[in-house]
């Protein structure tokens, strides 16, 4: 429609270029206006289908009746239905995330793993001897109305890989094997909420697990260019905004090399953050210090200026005194909670990064009060130094709060282990 308008406008005489136009007689203007009017009318009539609509209406008019509706009531009902529909979707995703994390946690990487999986391109393919090809066993498919009448298998998901990823790479085999655990969850989700359609899992190694399973056809050149890692949903999830509080031990035992490693660790952490992330840094010994006192009790955007500012302050940190981590943790949980409840920041991804050379206090009461059972805040722990006495303790902190534990013994470790 806008195209037509523009066209009409350009065709009008007198509108061409600059320069003083000669006076135009009123009759001519009226003629233009009439022409334009009838032109617009005929175009709108033609493209809006209004005549057809009028005719249709005439056909059904005798059977129509008018019914009063309560607009507010109607909107309320819609919004409730919408909300419950969205909630069911969110719950389905949460069940998948939980199963995937669980499976990942329980899986031990096996370099020489052998594993036959259903490759969506190879399934049901046979070689010249009439045997199913490698990774291409029989995979029963049935037409399903719910999935655009495509041929699908609603008991199993299967695996798609882009052409440039080797289908038996150990990373792929381990990932595919591990994520088999999602099959029952896909099925259960679909049974619980039949309005669900496709459910999928995209791995950083490049495989794409799709439920229900389908047969995937390469393009006319035999190339499979779809790579889940390039999809908007993947990129968004992989780099989703985070709220991070870095808690660093500056007690006396951290003096020397440990402090150097700790500072390097914080700087490396800061470098992984971007403008969509929020951050603060708390140092502790006998006291809890915000390393930037102006940022007390808040999180600030991890933009370049703030990151550089933090780096300068980190550089000035000095180790002394006795470490009491609990107060610092409570402070960190409090900021994150306030931020979350105010609906600011990354919302779903909150974490505390604890950097210490050892921890002996009893943390359970703190976690119980501030983080359990939901475990909204993940705890990542970095044990600095070679000492292993505290390893179990520090590992436990991470593992009981959905995080990871890392020991960083040397400066060279920092980059690699972050
Ligand atoms: C790794 O996989 C191979 C081949 O499937 C198997 O023989 C071996 O026992 C596995 N190793 C471990 C440690 O599970
Ligand atoms: C899905 O495929 C598997 C393997 O071929 C088969 O055992 C199963 O019955 C299929 N499920 C459906 C619903 O067709």
């Amino acid at each position: 429609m806008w195209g037509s308008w523009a066209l009409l406008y350009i065709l009008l005489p007198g509108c061409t270029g600059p320069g003083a136009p000669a006076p135009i007689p009123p009759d001519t203007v009226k003629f233009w206006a009439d022409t334009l009017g009838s032109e617009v009318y005929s175009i709108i009539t033609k493209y809006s289908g209004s005549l057809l609509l009028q005719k249709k209406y005439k056909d059904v008019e005798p059977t129509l009746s008018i019914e009063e509706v309560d607009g507010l009531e109607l909107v309320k009902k819609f919004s409730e239905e919408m909300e419950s529909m969205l909630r069911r979707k969110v719950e389905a995703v949460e069940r998948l995330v939980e199963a995937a994390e669980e499976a990942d946690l329980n899986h031990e990487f096996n370099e020489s793993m052998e594993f036959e999986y259903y490759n969506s391109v190879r399934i049901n393919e046979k070689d010249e001897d009439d045997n199913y090809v490698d990774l291409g066993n029989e995979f029963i498919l049935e037409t399903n109305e719910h999935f655009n009448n495509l041929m699908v298998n609603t008991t199993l998901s299967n695996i798609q890989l882009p052409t440039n990823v080797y289908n038996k790479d150990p990373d792929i085999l381990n990932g595919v094997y591990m994520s088999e655990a999602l099959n029952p969850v896909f099925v259960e989700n679909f049974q619980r909420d039949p309005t669900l359609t496709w459910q999928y899992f995209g791995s950083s190694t490049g495989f794409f697990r799709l439920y229900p399973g389908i047969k995937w056809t390469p393009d006319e050149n035999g190339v499979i260019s779809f790579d889940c890692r390039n999809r908007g949903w993947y990129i968004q999830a992989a780099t989703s905004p985070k709220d991070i509080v870095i808690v660093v031990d500056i007690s006396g035992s951290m003096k020397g090399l440990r402090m150097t490693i700790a500072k390097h660790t914080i700087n490396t952490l800061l470098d992984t953050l971007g403008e969509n992330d929020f951050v603060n840094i708390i140092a502790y010994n006998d006291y809890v210090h915000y390393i930037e006192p102006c940022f007390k009790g808040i999180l600030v955007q991890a933009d370049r200026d703030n990151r550089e500012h933090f780096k300068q302050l980190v550089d000035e940190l000095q180790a002394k005194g006795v470490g009491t981590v609990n107060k610092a943790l409570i402070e960190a949980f409090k900021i994150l909670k306030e931020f979350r409840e105010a609906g600011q920041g990354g919302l779903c991804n909150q974490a505390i990064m604890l950097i210490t050379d050892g921890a002996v206090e009893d943390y359970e009461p703190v976690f119980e009060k501030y983080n359990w059972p939901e475990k909204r805040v993940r705890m990542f722990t970095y044990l600095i130094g070679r000492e292993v006495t505290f390893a179990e303790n520090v590992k436990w902190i991470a593992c009981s709060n959905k995080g990871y534990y890392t020991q960083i013994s040397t400066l060279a470790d920092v980059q690699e282990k972050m």
Side-chain angles (χ1 to χ4, degrees):
M1 200 57 232
W2 285 113
S4 315
W5 273 102
L7 197 63
L8 274 171
Y9 184 76
I10 292 161
L11 289 179
L12 277 174
C15 295
T16 46
I24 299 161
D27 270 2
T28 316
V29 176
K30 182 172 183 317
F31 171 72
W32 288 347
D34 286 349
T35 315
L36 175 62
S38 67
E39 209 47 55
V40 169
Y41 177 78
S42 80
I43 285 174
I44 290 182
T45 311
K46 183 171 169 199
Y47 290 103
S48 69
S50 63
L51 291 178
L52 190 67
L53 216 59
Q54 281 171 16
K55 184 181 172 302
K56 281 259 152 85
Y57 179 73
K58 286 251 157 55
D59 291 347
V60 293
E61 201 176 4
T63 63
L64 293 182
S65 63
I66 292 177
E67 205 179 295
E68 289 269 344
V69 291
D70 180 347
L72 198 63
E73 201 51 43
L74 209 62
V75 170
K76 239 189 192 155
K77 198 166 140 257
F78 278 152
S79 96
E80 275 166 19
E81 279 171 13
M82 200 77 144
E83 201 180 314
S84 100
M85 183 197 76
L86 290 176
R87 195 173 38 239
R88 285 200 305 266
K89 307 288 177 277
V90 171
E91 283 165 4
V93 172
E94 281 172 353
R95 279 193 289 273
L96 287 172
V97 169
E98 213 157 280
E101 286 184 347
E102 183 78 19
D104 185 45
L105 208 59
N106 294 332
H107 178 69
E108 190 98 22
F109 187 84
N110 182 346
E111 184 69 40
S112 54
M113 173 174 282
E114 284 166 33
F115 180 60
E116 260 301 301
Y117 60 89
Y118 290 109
N119 181 306
S120 60
V121 173
R122 301 176 67 88
I123 48 167
N124 301 332
E125 297 286 333
K126 288 182 174 177
D127 60 18
E128 56 270 26
D129 300 328
D130 211 31
N131 295 318
Y132 284 112
V133 299
D134 215 19
L135 305 179
N137 271 327
E138 181 184 26
F139 194 77
I140 298 169
L141 296 166
E142 288 166 349
T143 320
N144 191 312
E145 259 183 39
H146 188 65
F147 296 95
N148 302 334
N149 285 321
L150 288 175
M151 304 278 284
V152 300
N153 179 317
T154 49
T155 28
L156 292 171
S157 60
N158 62 9
I159 303 291
Q160 178 270 349
L161 294 158
T163 299
N164 58 355
V165 173
Y166 176 43
N167 58 26
K168 288 195 169 172
D169 186 282
D171 281 339
I172 297 294
L173 290 178
N174 277 272
V176 169
Y177 177 80
M178 179 279 283
S179 62
E180 288 276 288
L182 296 176
N183 272 327
V185 188
F186 286 139
V187 175
E188 191 198 324
N189 277 343
F190 186 43
Q191 280 166 354
R192 280 199 203 197
D193 178 3
T195 68
L196 268 188
T197 50
W198 306 96
Q199 302 177 57
Y200 39 81
F201 174 83
S203 160
S204 58
T205 55
F207 74 83
F208 180 62
R209 183 180 278 285
L210 179 62
Y211 173 89
I214 57 163
K215 173 86 180 158
W216 197 290
T217 325
D219 68 14
E220 64 273 18
N221 303 316
V223 174
I224 311 152
S225 57
F226 179 91
D227 186 330
C228 64
R229 293 168 298 183
N230 297 335
R231 313 307 293 180
W233 56 265
Y234 182 94
I235 293 167
Q236 218 170 28
T239 59
S240 70
K242 310 171 270 304
D243 303 338
I244 304 287
V245 179
I246 300 174
V247 175
V248 55
D249 185 351
I250 52 163
S251 63
S253 62
M254 290 287 288
K255 255 202 178 85
L257 179 62
R258 287 183 182 176
M259 200 65 223
T260 311
I261 297 176
K263 288 177 178 179
H264 202 51
T265 303
I266 299 176
N267 287 345
T268 312
L269 264 174
L270 287 172
D271 286 337
T272 66
L273 302 180
E275 288 192 3
N276 294 329
D277 305 315
F278 286 82
V279 66
N280 204 341
I281 306 181
I282 297 177
Y284 69 91
N285 41 26
D286 316 57
Y287 302 98
V288 173
H289 323 255
Y290 282 89
I291 72 164
E292 171 50 90
C294 299
F295 295 161
K296 185 174 189 321
I298 57 166
L299 291 175
V300 296
Q301 195 183 5
D303 56 20
R304 181 183 282 276
D305 286 348
N306 283 333
R307 290 198 312 259
E308 289 308 315
H309 183 62
F310 274 130
K311 283 183 187 176
Q312 277 176 16
L313 295 167
V314 165
D315 196 44
E316 292 161 16
L317 287 175
Q318 286 183 9
K320 56 170 180 278
V322 183
T324 51
V325 66
N326 274 350
K327 277 191 236 154
L329 287 182
I330 291 172
E331 193 69 27
F333 279 123
K334 276 187 179 160
I335 320 181
L336 290 170
K337 177 161 185 269
E338 262 171 36
F339 212 60
R340 188 168 67 227
E341 286 175 354
Q344 290 172 294
L347 295 179
C348 38
N349 290 307
Q350 294 198 316
I352 295 175
M353 309 294 186
L354 175 63
I355 300 165
T356 179
D357 64 343
V360 285
E361 289 160 73
D362 179 15
Y363 318 97
E364 229 171 297
V366 175
F367 298 145
E368 232 155 48
K369 178 150 182 218
Y370 294 94
N371 207 31
W372 294 349
E374 296 94 348
K375 302 187 182 174
R376 288 230 173 91
V377 178
R378 290 172 197 264
M379 285 214 54
F380 294 82
T381 52
Y382 300 91
L383 182 65
I384 307 293
R386 292 187 188 283
E387 191 98 49
V388 289
T389 331
F390 301 109
E392 277 310 310
N393 220 339
V394 174
K395 195 172 183 174
W396 176 85
I397 295 178
C399 294
S400 45
N401 292 286
K402 295 213 271 187
Y404 277 97
Y405 154 82
T406 313
Q407 179 158 20
I408 302 183
S409 319
T410 65
L411 268 179
D413 272 356
V414 177
Q415 195 64 43
E416 189 183 327
K417 294 200 172 170
M418 293 312 287

